[in-house]
Amino acid sequence: MFFWAQKYMENFTILSLKSIDKLQFYRTLESLGRIFSMPVVSKTSFYKHNKLHLYPVIVNRYREQQQQLLETLRNVSKLQICGDASFDSPGYSALTCTYTMLECQTNKVIDFSVVRKGQYSGDLERHGCRELLNVLVNNYKLDIGSFVTDQHTKIAKDMREKYPAIYHAFDIWHVSKNLGKALDTGAKTKDCEAIASWKKL
C-alpha cells in the first residue's frame, strides 16, 4: 500500500512538472482528467509542486548558465549586442514589457528585464532597454561595441546621449518592414501607383 501511494504521488508530481514545462496549464490537465476519467491533483497541489520543485531548478540553472556566459563575455572586447521587446498584449493596453538582450556571436541571451505599467511613467520599451543596458555596462562590466535595436526613436535618443561610445544601429528586418509600409502608403497616393511595383523587384 505504501509503495502504491508513493508511486501515485511521484506520478502526479512528474505530471504537474511536465505540464507546466510544456506550457499546458492546470485547466488542460483537468480536462484530460475528465476525458480519461482519471483523478487529477488539485490546483493547489499542482502550483505547489511547481513552486517547490520546478521553479527553483529553472532559476538556479538559468543563473549558473548566465554566470558562465558572463565570465566568457567579460574577456571579449567590442561585443555585438541586439535587443528587442515583447509585450503581454498588442497595442497600448499592454501591462508588462519584457526587454531581452542577446549576444550576436554566441546567439545566447545575456539577460532580460521585465517592466510593468505604473512602475515607470512613459514608454515601457524605452525603460526596459535603459534598465537592462545599465546592468550590462555598469554591473556586468561588459565592453559593448555595437547595439542593434528596432527603429525606436526614444531608444536611439538615449543611445546618442547616454552611450555615445556604443555604435547604435537599426536591424534590417525592421527597416525593411517600415520601408514596405511607407511604400504601400505612397502607392495609394494619386499619380504614385507605380510605387507598388517597386516591392516586386
Side-chain angles (χ1 to χ4, degrees):
M1 182 67 180
F2 173 76
F3 175 78
W4 179 88
Q6 185 181 30
K7 296 301 292 182
Y8 184 78
M9 288 309 299
E10 284 178 4
N11 288 337
F12 271 138
T13 302
I14 293 170
L15 186 57
S16 73
L17 297 183
K18 283 183 175 290
S19 296
I20 194 67
D21 182 50
K22 295 178 180 178
L23 300 181
Q24 298 173 351
F25 297 101
Y26 183 77
R27 279 184 291 180
T28 304
L29 183 64
E30 199 174 33
S31 297
L32 286 172
R34 284 198 300 270
I35 292 170
F36 294 106
S37 299
M38 63 180 234
V40 175
V41 64
S42 70
K43 184 184 290 188
T44 302
S45 296
F46 177 78
Y47 287 112
K48 182 180 177 181
H49 286 314
N50 292 327
K51 184 177 180 180
L52 294 178
H53 304 295
L54 179 62
Y55 299 154
V57 173
I58 293 173
V59 171
N60 289 337
R61 185 57 179 154
Y62 169 76
R63 287 175 177 166
E64 286 175 6
Q65 291 188 331
Q66 185 187 43
Q67 286 303 313
Q68 292 171 4
L69 178 62
L70 289 173
E71 287 175 10
T72 302
L73 296 181
R74 286 192 186 104
N75 297 319
V76 179
S77 60
K78 303 302 179 184
L79 291 166
Q80 299 175 15
I81 307 294
C82 60
D84 200 9
S86 60
F87 297 86
D88 62 332
S89 60
Y92 294 100
S93 61
L95 296 176
T96 61
C97 168
T98 303
Y99 201 91
T100 306
M101 289 190 184
L102 178 141
E103 202 282 312
C104 298
Q105 297 301 313
T106 60
N107 204 33
K108 290 184 177 180
V109 171
I110 302 174
D111 207 344
F112 63 92
S113 174
V114 179
V115 292
R116 296 172 179 81
K117 198 171 185 178
Q119 184 179 353
Y120 296 102
S121 60
D123 191 287
L124 290 180
E125 183 171 354
R126 180 188 190 183
H127 287 293
C129 177
R130 182 188 289 175
E131 186 179 279
L132 194 52
L133 200 56
N134 179 61
V135 169
L136 264 60
V137 173
N138 297 316
N139 293 13
Y140 297 161
K141 306 299 181 183
L142 298 182
D143 179 18
I144 302 175
S146 61
F147 180 45
V148 180
T149 66
D150 59 12
Q151 292 179 291
H152 196 294
T153 56
K154 292 180 181 179
I155 290 178
K157 183 174 183 290
D158 284 344
M159 294 303 297
R160 287 194 305 269
E161 295 178 354
K162 298 178 182 297
Y163 301 98
I166 298 176
Y167 176 73
H168 180 231
F170 298 138
D171 77 271
I172 192 64
W173 185 85
H174 283 96
V175 171
S176 61
K177 180 182 177 182
N178 292 334
L179 178 59
K181 288 181 179 179
L183 291 175
D184 289 338
T185 302
K188 296 174 184 177
T189 307
K190 186 178 180 181
D191 298 327
C192 295
E193 294 83 0
I195 294 177
S197 64
W198 296 359
K199 293 184 68 176
K200 299 177 182 178
L201 297 177

